[in-house]
Amino acid sequence: MIQTTLAPPLRLDRCDPHALLAYYQRAWALEDRLWQSLVGDEPFYLNPDPLRNLLIFYLGHTAVFYINKLQRVGLLQQALQPAYEELFAVGVDPEKPEDIAGKVAQLRRAPLQGVWGYRQTVYHSITDLIYQSDFTAPVTPGHPLWALIMAIEHQYIHIETSSVLIRQLPVAMVRRPADWVYLPGNGEARPNPLVGVPAGPVRLGKPQDAPSYGWDIDYGDLPLQVAPFRISQYQITNAEFLAFVQAGGYQTPTYWCAAAWGWKTQPAVTHPKFWLADPLAPGGYRYRALFDEIPMPWQYPVEVNYHEAVAYCRWYNDATGDCTRLMGETEWQRALWGESQPVTDYNLDSQVGSPHAVGSRPTAQTAMGLYDLRGNIWEWLRDPLTPLPGYRPHPLYEDYSAGYFDQHHRMMAGGSWITSGAGALPDYRNWFRPNFYQHAGFRLAADSPPP
């Protein structure tokens, strides 16, 4: 679908200017493609999620990140436009509505064409920098070029998070690119049994000498033994989640903790974010894809936040007598143990423009018959974000993860169809607020029954 060469995560042990330039250019091409899908100026001055910034902030933010970080390491000697490099540097705290209101007022005064022009200036400046850089040594976390790799990986993250916000705009404000492909999502429903995973070892943490980029939270070393457990063969589908909706799951307080119930009732939430109620549609719902409203793809994995995933598990247990829950990080790693297929075997890296029906990509199957542990959509885990032994914040981005060790931010694993760069690797440790949306769903997990 994307008219640029696929870019698996960059190898930093033998990096060269041509590989780095291709990696950099692809990030910009993917991001520009998203922003160019917006119709007119108005969408840029909206915040589809009231707890997030106006969209124009994200248009400027990824470019500003390059300039601010590269100045820190001396690869750039001066600012390009100091006012922008302050305005677009830091986002808003969703816990502080007054911060959001103040930032929105500032951003409404930012000229859209000026921000687009700034992005172009940054793009060409960094392109020139890449041609002039010294690649005689591997790029390690202490190398000045680490700042450049960090900025590219940061851009890949924002391509995904911005796509979730764009997906919440009215469809009249977006235009699907002509060659954008949504994969088929209907057909015969597959049984979704819980598959046993045997006990065994895992090792959490990215080695310090790994040849790919890592964020501070990825590094560490924690060997563990994992007890046997069971997980559903496929990610939970829209069709499976419909049963929860029709059974009154959103109206049953016992399925929701106090924080989740508070989120659900203010305002009233009665179905997943990207479902559109339509009494004339089969099943009563249509589906919001990134750019379009389409018939519900019932065999796509359902996309929900953490609260909804936990509520489904509790309802499922009431309905079946089982004792399911979300997977833990160690269980996800154990289920993936020994699998080493390339990124292109999975629905990752914007190869297509949507999830696929569960079980429909044979190369995304593990030796145990589990599908889509990587790619398609992220999977919520039960664990809060915690650092691994050996964790050290990187001095260029000391608050990347350290401010989120609060037992409230929940981990996700596996990546989605639009996840690129180092985020598509199995040692990437991702997290989000439990009430926020990402291209994320879940599968059921349970302890193995006693022999």
Side-chain angles (χ1 to χ4, degrees):
M1 181 191 71
I2 300 299
Q3 301 302 308
T4 51
T5 304
L6 289 176
L10 193 67
R11 287 191 66 97
L12 303 183
D13 54 345
R14 53 173 185 261
C15 192
D16 66 78
H18 299 292
L20 180 56
L21 184 64
Y23 199 62
Y24 167 78
Q25 289 175 329
R26 187 166 191 268
W28 281 86
L30 290 171
E31 190 178 37
D32 280 352
R33 184 179 174 86
L34 278 181
W35 293 125
Q36 289 164 1
S37 73
L38 273 58
V39 177
D41 293 2
E42 182 184 359
F44 289 95
Y45 295 95
L46 299 177
N47 52 345
D49 184 330
L51 298 179
R52 308 295 295 275
N53 259 312
L54 302 187
L55 292 182
I56 194 171
F57 172 82
Y58 304 104
L59 180 71
H61 176 62
T62 51
V64 160
F65 192 95
Y66 280 95
I67 302 305
N68 289 343
K69 298 305 181 190
L70 291 173
Q71 284 187 89
R72 290 270 304 274
V73 298
L75 289 177
L76 290 178
Q77 301 306 314
Q78 60 186 21
L80 293 184
Q81 193 162 336
Y84 280 2
E85 285 140 19
E86 179 180 357
L87 176 61
F88 295 107
V90 181
V92 294
D93 184 344
E95 305 295 334
K96 298 178 180 178
E98 66 278 8
D99 285 2
I100 299 175
K103 192 76 167 187
V104 164
Q106 290 180 290
L107 290 168
R108 289 197 188 283
R109 297 192 292 270
L112 180 60
Q113 292 310 309
V115 179
W116 273 114
Y118 176 80
R119 282 176 60 88
Q120 286 300 305
T121 301
V122 171
Y123 175 79
H124 292 299
S125 296
I126 306 305
T127 300
D128 292 342
L129 176 77
I130 291 172
Y131 281 122
Q132 299 163 11
S133 294
D134 178 11
F135 290 87
T136 56
V139 180
T140 61
H143 194 294
L145 283 175
W146 193 261
L148 176 55
I149 310 299
M150 176 183 286
I152 298 171
E153 296 294 347
H154 172 264
Q155 189 169 23
Y156 276 125
I157 289 173
H158 274 283
I159 289 166
E160 180 157 8
T161 56
S162 294
S163 75
V164 178
L165 298 175
I166 291 170
R167 192 177 178 186
Q168 296 175 62
L169 286 170
V171 290
M173 290 188 172
V174 295
R175 182 183 299 111
R176 174 169 45 87
D179 61 344
W180 195 274
V181 176
Y182 302 131
L183 293 179
N186 284 305
E188 186 176 354
R190 297 172 183 266
N192 196 4
L194 294 178
V195 176
V197 179
V202 297
R203 196 171 205 105
L204 300 184
K206 189 182 191 85
Q208 287 291 336
D209 60 353
S212 58
Y213 178 86
W215 295 97
D216 57 14
I217 193 64
D218 300 335
Y219 291 103
D221 185 28
L222 183 60
L224 294 166
Q225 282 292 127
V226 181
F229 62 98
R230 297 171 290 144
I231 54 173
S232 50
Q233 185 173 14
Y234 308 108
Q235 296 163 330
I236 298 301
T237 65
N238 286 315
E240 289 174 286
F241 203 84
L242 178 64
F244 167 77
V245 174
Q246 293 178 332
Y250 278 92
Q251 291 75 42
T252 307
T254 54
Y255 299 151
W256 309 79
C257 70
W261 189 255
W263 162 80
K264 193 201 74 66
T265 54
Q266 299 178 12
V269 177
T270 59
H271 54 75
K273 168 72 82 175
F274 301 115
W275 290 19
L276 309 169
D278 181 351
L280 300 180
Y285 295 95
R286 288 171 59 78
Y287 177 80
R288 174 59 192 265
L290 184 51
F291 302 112
D292 302 278
E293 296 177 3
I294 64 175
M296 178 62 76
W298 291 110
Q299 300 312 312
Y300 276 10
V302 68
E303 294 150 295
V304 292
N305 67 22
Y306 174 84
H307 292 321
E308 292 166 301
V310 171
Y312 179 94
C313 293
R314 293 173 177 171
W315 164 80
Y316 181 90
N317 296 343
D318 271 3
T320 66
D322 209 328
C323 192
T324 66
R325 50 175 172 76
L326 300 182
M327 268 194 298
E329 182 183 16
T330 57
E331 290 172 331
W332 183 81
Q333 288 285 358
R334 178 61 189 159
L336 201 62
W337 191 259
E339 302 292 330
S340 58
Q341 294 101 311
V343 165
T344 50
D345 277 3
Y346 303 95
N347 189 359
L348 289 162
D349 203 29
S350 295
Q351 297 175 74
V352 294
S354 73
H356 57 243
V358 300
S360 63
R361 191 179 185 113
T363 56
Q365 179 183 193
T366 71
M368 288 185 286
L370 303 167
Y371 281 81
D372 301 316
L373 282 167
R374 292 176 62 192
N376 215 21
I377 61 172
W378 291 95
E379 298 193 23
W380 285 105
L381 304 177
R382 62 176 175 169
D383 302 307
L385 180 69
T386 54
L388 299 173
Y391 166 82
R392 294 193 308 272
H394 194 284
L396 283 177
Y397 200 166
E398 292 185 339
D399 58 350
Y400 172 75
S401 60
Y404 304 102
F405 305 150
D406 55 11
Q407 299 298 301
H408 298 304
H409 290 77
R410 297 289 165 170
M411 296 190 69
M412 301 186 296
S416 80
W417 56 271
I418 199 172
T419 305
S420 295
L425 295 175
D427 53 20
Y428 178 67
R429 303 181 75 225
N430 198 12
W431 73 94
F432 233 61
R433 294 175 184 268
N435 58 315
F436 276 25
Y437 285 91
Q438 187 58 290
H439 303 297
F442 66 104
R443 73 179 75 215
L444 298 177
D447 297 342
S448 282

